[in-house]
Amino acid sequence: MSIESYAMELRGALHQYPNFPQEGILFEDFLPIFREPQLFRKLVEAFKMHLQEKFPNKKIDYIIGLESRGFLFGPSLALAIDAGFVPVRKQGKLPGKIASATYVKEYGEDVFEIQEESIPEGSNVVIVDDIIATGGSAKAAGELALRLKANLLEFLFVMELDFLKGTSKLQAPSFTLLKGQEEALSK
């Protein structure tokens, strides 16, 4: 099987909801993938295959998953490639010494945090999340990885809202498994 064939099958499992959560947005729900073990396995396998092709001679030490949907498949991917998993959480959820980064959301600001001791300096890391829209939360996670002096190899996303150009803000290359929405939903 190829990454493309997995992607086609996974895309077919998505449910679409026009005008949710607000008018003009086409919400693509990828949660049905997790209801079917064979689809969930294919999601993880597709990302694993991509990482093996892109970094054939590099050990990836950690997968960094963004709260909350990066937690759905990030740990499984980490296990599949024999890497550790490190969560990036919303403010106030992690104990110990933390590093934080602020990002802009649709309706204000939010803060992401990571435990400072979670990633040793020089570690090879990949950041995962379900979707990239404007890129604010992913960029904040990238700032945290770089602040811990990790070697940020790539960002991985299940989907992308291409028309928002969020990947242009990121500190490393990105890979989107399921080709995203190239334009906004017409009303």
Side-chain angles (χ1 to χ4, degrees):
M1 292 293 282
S2 68
I3 294 171
E4 293 75 21
S5 62
Y6 281 148
M8 282 181 51
E9 186 175 351
L10 292 166
R11 179 158 271 301
L14 302 180
H15 292 181
Q16 294 185 335
Y17 298 91
N19 300 309
F20 179 84
Q22 64 191 40
E23 191 71 28
I25 294 178
L26 175 62
F27 186 87
E28 293 194 76
D29 184 8
F30 85 118
L31 294 177
I33 290 170
F34 298 96
R35 294 181 200 145
E36 302 291 332
Q38 76 277 9
L39 289 177
F40 186 11
R41 222 175 272 110
K42 289 175 182 179
L43 175 73
V44 172
E45 185 63 24
F47 280 129
K48 178 182 175 182
M49 289 167 63
H50 165 75
L51 291 172
Q52 288 172 334
E53 288 174 13
K54 180 93 185 257
F55 305 105
N57 301 312
K58 242 183 201 143
K59 165 77 171 107
I60 297 169
D61 301 302
Y62 297 96
I63 296 292
I64 299 174
L66 278 59
E67 186 170 337
S68 65
R69 292 183 175 218
F71 294 2
L72 293 175
F73 61 95
S76 299
L77 176 59
L79 192 59
I81 65 167
D82 198 29
F85 177 77
V86 176
V88 166
R89 306 267 340 248
K90 299 279 176 83
Q91 188 172 32
K93 306 271 186 183
L94 293 171
K97 288 186 76 176
I98 52 111
S100 61
T102 302
Y103 62 97
V104 178
K105 300 187 330 179
E106 299 158 52
Y107 307 106
E109 290 185 340
D110 213 339
V111 178
F112 264 162
E113 294 180 336
I114 194 169
Q115 291 172 310
E116 288 185 1
E117 75 277 3
S118 62
I119 299 175
E121 184 176 333
S123 297
N124 290 325
V125 302
V126 172
I127 295 175
V128 301
D129 202 9
D130 65 330
I131 190 166
I132 181 160
T134 62
S137 59
K139 181 181 177 195
E143 287 174 23
L144 293 173
L146 295 173
R147 198 169 305 149
L148 297 184
K149 297 183 172 72
N151 179 23
L152 178 53
L153 300 176
E154 192 172 44
F155 290 83
L156 299 179
F157 303 102
V158 177
M159 294 178 290
E160 178 178 349
L161 301 180
D162 299 1
F163 62 94
L164 294 174
K165 305 198 181 327
T167 57
S168 68
K169 299 176 183 168
L170 302 180
Q171 304 92 332
S174 67
F175 171 76
T176 303
L177 179 60
L178 307 180
K179 297 304 173 206
Q181 296 177 21
E182 295 180 11
E183 56 188 42
L185 183 64
S186 17
K187 298 180 182 186

